[in-house]
Amino acid sequence: MTCSWQVWTRCLWLAFWLFLGIGAGPVRGETAPEPAAAGQPVVSLYFFWSARCPHCLEARPFIESLPVRHPWIQLHSLEISRSRENLAAYVDMAARLGEEARSVPALLFCDEMHVGWQSDAISGPVLLDRLSQCRDRLARGETLNARTPTPPAVSLPGGMDISGWSLPLLTVAIAAMDAFNPCAFFVLLFLLSLLVHQQDRRRMLIIGGVFVLVSGLMYFAFMAAWLGLFRVMGSLPWVTAGAGALALVMGLINIKDWFAFKQGISLSIPESRKADIFRRGREVLAAGSLPAMLLAAVLLATAANFYELLCTAGFPMVYTRILTLRETGTLQHLMYLALYNTVYVLPLLAIVLAFVRTMGARKLTEREGRLLKLLSGLMMAGLGLLLVLAPERLGNVGVALGLMAAALLVTWLASRWERSRMSPGGGE
């Protein structure tokens, strides 16, 4: 028999697995392979996984070694993110069991569906025990009918939600966290406070709107660059952990600024850059004609966004990493980035509308800036920690919303505590 170049890889893989089946020794401290007794039943195990799911990649070596150590297990390993057929098979098989194909890794066998993977030491024995019980049931001659509803699936901790609405809601949640951007608020409030002196609502609305639009486009481009980097790196777990660790460090630096504002390392706009922003803001006011003012506003927004990049960069970094682990298509990526940035600019747009309505000057005080730093730092550090320790938890929108609520609560308590210290008889 000859192998064409298209099937040489399959031939080599077949030889490799035959070698494993014949000569492989114990794996991960397990006992030697069990002999397949004649006439013993064979258990078919369907393993649905995604190349972009960290827990799937962790579970895969253990699960794919099961047939080597236990020949009575017939494994079907099916990756779903690159195969519509495999995904359709997962949906169909789960439906036959009365379940929904919402998460991976998923293991289906003997009218059972197990979802998630915590670790080889915890989830592995549970799976093997259930497989052994299934073999015993088959040996006793029990009939299995995969088309009838069964009890709820056993959920092994860990997994990645692939349901339709989880990612859009998660996008809105993280973008809402990112929207509390003290650096962006500072620049916009400064610009609008200058424009108030002209007492022209129309110009303020147009110039403020252009500033917000350019800021959104700049942030979109910045996130697209992060996205491109993560797409090149693929779904390697160390890349995910590295992004989370960097976001955690940036969050802790922002939290530090509440205690020691701009002392030591800080992600705020440097004083030297603020001088340039002030100069460009005055150029907007001095431009005179509306077209010239718009051009000056575009230049101000472009420069300011470069200066602001580190202020809350942890959020777009965490989100784009999640996006590359959850979606594969370029069009889907761009649509999600557009949704993210729409939510991101909404508070900036609300500030513009508030100024236009009241025509009042307002600046961001140091105390407000510190509290915003604390809020964004808490949320950023929380997301980074999750990305390092449990990236699959970020598929749960409730976790993101809970993190936001906790950060808001801590920031509110810090504000109340600070006020009590500053009030007469408050201790200082």
Side-chain angles (χ1 to χ4, degrees), residues 81-367:
S81 67
R82 300 189 182 99
S83 171
R84 294 182 181 273
E85 292 78 11
N86 291 346
L87 179 59
Y90 179 27
V91 172
D92 178 65
M93 293 184 68
R96 293 185 184 187
L97 295 175
E99 303 292 338
E100 293 186 16
R102 295 176 59 88
S103 304
V104 287
L107 299 148
L108 289 80
F109 57 93
C110 293
D111 287 354
E112 299 182 22
M113 179 171 167
H114 300 248
V115 178
W117 192 265
Q118 183 166 336
S119 67
D120 294 358
I122 296 175
S123 303
V126 174
L127 173 62
L128 190 56
D129 179 65
R130 298 298 295 173
L131 288 168
S132 298
Q133 292 182 38
C134 173
R135 181 179 63 163
D136 294 342
R137 289 164 59 195
L138 292 172
R140 292 194 299 267
E142 294 185 18
T143 301
L144 301 177
N145 185 357
R147 294 186 179 274
T148 58
T150 61
V154 177
S155 180
L156 303 177
M160 188 180 76
D161 187 15
I162 58 171
S163 57
W165 285 102
S166 63
L167 187 54
L169 292 175
L170 185 66
T171 300
V172 172
I174 298 181
M177 297 182 195
D178 196 5
F180 294 99
N181 189 326
C183 298
F185 287 0
F186 166 79
V187 178
L188 180 59
L189 288 172
F190 167 72
L191 173 63
L192 294 174
S193 295
L194 291 178
L195 293 173
V196 163
H197 298 293
Q198 291 203 339
Q199 294 296 306
D200 189 331
R201 283 187 167 88
R202 175 175 168 272
R203 282 197 173 190
M204 180 181 288
L205 179 61
I206 294 174
I207 294 172
V210 167
F211 181 91
V212 171
L213 176 63
V214 174
S215 297
L217 293 175
M218 289 285 294
Y219 215 64
F220 182 94
F222 171 61
M223 293 184 68
W226 269 119
L227 185 70
L229 178 64
F230 285 136
R231 290 184 64 174
V232 170
M233 291 182 173
S235 57
L236 296 174
W238 69 266
V239 176
T240 302
L246 185 56
L248 175 60
V249 170
M250 297 176 74
L252 292 175
I253 292 174
N254 277 341
I255 294 172
K256 182 274 303 177
D257 271 349
W258 183 73
F259 298 97
F261 192 56
K262 295 184 180 179
Q263 296 181 23
I265 299 176
S266 178
L267 301 180
S268 303
I269 300 176
E271 293 298 327
S272 59
R273 301 303 185 185
K274 283 185 178 180
D276 183 57
I277 290 174
F278 295 153
R279 177 183 62 81
R280 291 178 183 274
R282 288 189 287 269
E283 288 177 354
V284 174
L285 199 63
S289 65
L290 181 59
M293 293 180 75
L294 288 176
L295 177 59
V298 169
L299 295 176
L300 171 62
T302 302
N305 273 273
F306 276 112
Y307 299 154
E308 296 168 6
L309 284 183
L310 287 178
C311 203
T312 57
F315 289 115
M317 181 175 59
V318 169
Y319 175 73
T320 50
R321 184 53 183 164
I322 294 172
L323 193 57
T324 56
L325 293 174
R326 301 283 299 278
E327 288 289 340
T328 58
T330 302
L331 179 60
Q332 291 93 329
H333 286 161
L334 295 178
M335 290 176 64
Y336 277 115
L337 289 189
L339 173 61
Y340 185 103
N341 283 272
T342 299
V343 176
Y344 172 78
V345 301
L346 287 179
L348 300 178
L349 184 59
I351 291 174
V352 172
L353 295 177
F355 265 72
V356 171
R357 181 176 179 275
T358 63
M359 294 299 290
R362 179 76 163 83
K363 293 183 178 180
L364 191 69
T365 66
E366 179 178 311
R367 178 177 179 274

